[in-house]
Amino acid sequence: MRKPKTFNNSERFIEGWYWVMPSQNLRIGEVKPITILGRNLVIYRGQDKKVVICDAYCPHMGAHLAEGKVEGNELRCFFHHWKFDAQGICIEVPCLYEPLPIKLKTWPTNEEYGMIWIWTGETPQHPLPFMPELEQDKFDIAFGFHFLKNCHPNIVMMNAIDAQHFNTIHKLPLEIIFDKEEYSQNAIIFTNTTDIRGDYTFKRLIRTISKKTINYNICYWYGSTFILSLGFDFFSLHLMFALRLIEGGKTEGQTIIMMKKRKGIFGKLFNQVVLGLVKLFGQNFVKGDNRIFRTIRFDFKTPIKADQSIMQLINHVERQKPLTWETWQLARSREVEPQENPNKWRDDLVND
């Protein structure tokens, strides 16, 4: 079986929204160097509180703009004091009466979930990652754990729909079969409703918060970020795993725990307690996965029926727009790619 071109490829990523840093880590008037998906950038927050992300080097002589300073909503280079506005347009060259018609490359940004995000193309084609059924809801959020994994983000995110590993690694006596929905070119949703009636000790424990079933849904965006939703009888939890590729084909990620806002003091207190408990539980739950991520060398040679959801996810990633690490240029034109066997990555591919 030939390997996918984009999935688990350390030289490619999908055009889309990627997390940069928590909003609280960038103060008004502060400028910082950052490296996202191999590209050197600069980020600053102007007096209007808006975030600007631009290429790291001044178009004059290549001085690093993180050495400069924020003036109002503009950024001034430390070397020769050229000044650029929030759109990257050069608006002042101290030794000239008029600035030169030069534009510094800037990138679309957004802030949501307590996080700063960057779009890796010219114009955002989709909104920030979200769970469609929760689009209109407001949330209380808490940052979970920040982590590094010794494997590609595609492998980390695949774990959430690997039905077999819930039995083998986490010892959960549950039968999980996912239904798939292609929400858009860049988003795919997997849903499962688990019947928890039975005599297993685990099921008896879960029945203390849910009588019959648990809804377990995952929505993937851009082959990296995904939102996992757990629905019980009287409340739901939503965990966002914001991932990005780092050097060496590895993963840097941040978890964000979300619950729908509740009214009143007791509602707020309930959410705070649950968010704190989930943060503690989550760190313990993924210990088994961490052992796998440290040593895995993903090589999917023998897919079986239980891997159907993983095959569907690989298909979904392969159909998205691939960009090249560091340059952020289109990885390869689809028009010139050779035609392949359309059944090569069949969703229902099995050998058992």
Side-chain angles (χ1 to χ4, degrees), residues 196 206-215 231-236:
I196 60 172
I206 293 298
R207 281 203 303 274
T208 61
I209 56 176
S210 187
K211 299 300 182 184
K212 295 182 179 180
T213 61
I214 300 175
N215 297 319
F232 302 100
D233 288 342
F234 61 94
F235 75 98
S236 296

Coordinates of all heavy atoms in Angstrom, one line a residue, residues 196 206-215 231-236:
I196 N -24.6 2.4 27.9 CA -23.8 2.1 29.1 C -24.6 1.1 30.1 O -24.2 1.0 31.2 CB -23.4 3.4 29.8 CG1 -24.7 4.1 30.2 CG2 -22.5 4.2 29.0 CD1 -24.4 5.3 31.1
I206 N -20.2 5.1 35.4 CA -20.7 6.1 34.5 C -22.2 6.4 34.7 O -22.6 7.5 34.5 CB -20.4 5.8 33.0 CG1 -18.8 5.8 32.8 CG2 -21.0 6.7 32.1 CD1 -18.2 7.1 33.0
R207 N -22.9 5.4 35.1 CA -24.3 5.5 35.2 C -24.7 6.5 36.4 O -25.8 6.9 36.5 CB -25.0 4.2 35.5 CG -25.2 3.4 34.2 CD -26.4 2.4 34.4 NE -26.1 1.5 35.5 CZ -25.4 0.3 35.4 NH1 -24.9 0.0 34.2 NH2 -25.2 -0.4 36.4
T208 N -23.7 6.8 37.2 CA -24.0 7.8 38.3 C -24.2 9.2 37.7 O -24.8 10.0 38.3 CB -22.8 7.8 39.3 OG1 -21.6 8.3 38.6 CG2 -22.6 6.5 39.9
I209 N -23.7 9.4 36.4 CA -24.0 10.7 35.8 C -24.8 10.6 34.5 O -25.1 11.7 34.0 CB -22.6 11.5 35.6 CG1 -21.7 10.6 34.7 CG2 -22.0 11.8 36.9 CD1 -20.4 11.3 34.3
S210 N -25.0 9.4 34.1 CA -25.8 9.3 32.8 C -26.5 7.9 32.9 O -25.9 6.9 33.1 CB -24.9 9.3 31.6 OG -25.7 9.3 30.4
K211 N -27.8 7.9 32.7 CA -28.6 6.7 32.9 C -28.5 5.7 31.8 O -28.4 4.5 32.1 CB -30.1 7.1 33.0 CG -30.4 8.1 34.2 CD -30.0 7.5 35.5 CE -30.4 8.4 36.7 NZ -29.9 7.8 38.0
K212 N -28.5 6.1 30.6 CA -28.5 5.1 29.5 C -27.4 5.2 28.5 O -26.8 4.2 28.2 CB -29.9 5.2 28.8 CG -31.1 4.8 29.6 CD -32.3 4.9 28.8 CE -33.6 4.6 29.6 NZ -34.8 4.7 28.8
T213 N -27.1 6.4 28.0 CA -26.1 6.5 26.9 C -25.2 7.7 27.1 O -25.5 8.6 27.9 CB -26.8 6.7 25.6 OG1 -27.6 7.9 25.6 CG2 -27.7 5.5 25.2
I214 N -24.1 7.6 26.4 CA -23.1 8.7 26.4 C -22.9 9.1 24.9 O -22.7 8.2 24.1 CB -21.8 8.4 27.0 CG1 -21.9 8.0 28.5 CG2 -20.8 9.6 26.8 CD1 -20.6 7.6 29.1
N215 N -23.1 10.3 24.5 CA -22.8 10.8 23.2 C -21.4 11.2 23.1 O -20.9 12.1 23.8 CB -23.7 11.9 22.8 CG -25.2 11.5 22.8 OD1 -25.5 10.4 22.3 ND2 -26.1 12.4 23.3
G231 N -21.4 13.9 25.8 CA -22.8 14.4 26.2 C -23.4 13.4 27.2 O -23.5 12.2 26.9
F232 N -23.7 13.9 28.4 CA -24.3 13.1 29.4 C -25.8 13.6 29.6 O -26.2 14.4 28.8 CB -23.6 13.3 30.8 CG -22.2 12.8 30.7 CD1 -21.1 13.8 30.6 CD2 -21.8 11.5 30.7 CE1 -19.8 13.4 30.5 CE2 -20.5 11.1 30.7 CZ -19.5 12.0 30.5
D233 N -26.5 13.1 30.6 CA -27.9 13.4 30.7 C -28.2 14.9 30.9 O -29.1 15.5 30.3 CB -28.6 12.6 31.8 CG -28.7 11.2 31.5 OD1 -28.6 10.8 30.3 OD2 -28.8 10.3 32.4
F234 N -27.4 15.5 31.8 CA -27.7 16.9 32.1 C -26.6 17.9 31.9 O -26.7 19.1 32.2 CB -28.2 17.0 33.6 CG -27.1 16.6 34.6 CD1 -26.2 17.5 35.2 CD2 -27.0 15.2 34.9 CE1 -25.3 17.1 36.1 CE2 -26.0 14.8 35.8 CZ -25.1 15.8 36.4
F235 N -25.5 17.5 31.3 CA -24.5 18.4 30.9 C -23.6 17.8 29.8 O -23.5 16.6 29.7 CB -23.7 19.0 32.1 CG -22.7 18.0 32.6 CD1 -21.3 18.0 32.3 CD2 -23.1 17.0 33.5 CE1 -20.4 17.1 32.8 CE2 -22.1 16.1 34.0 CZ -20.8 16.2 33.7
S236 N -22.8 18.6 29.1 CA -21.9 18.2 28.1 C -20.5 18.8 28.4 O -20.4 20.0 28.8 CB -22.4 18.5 26.7 OG -23.6 17.8 26.4

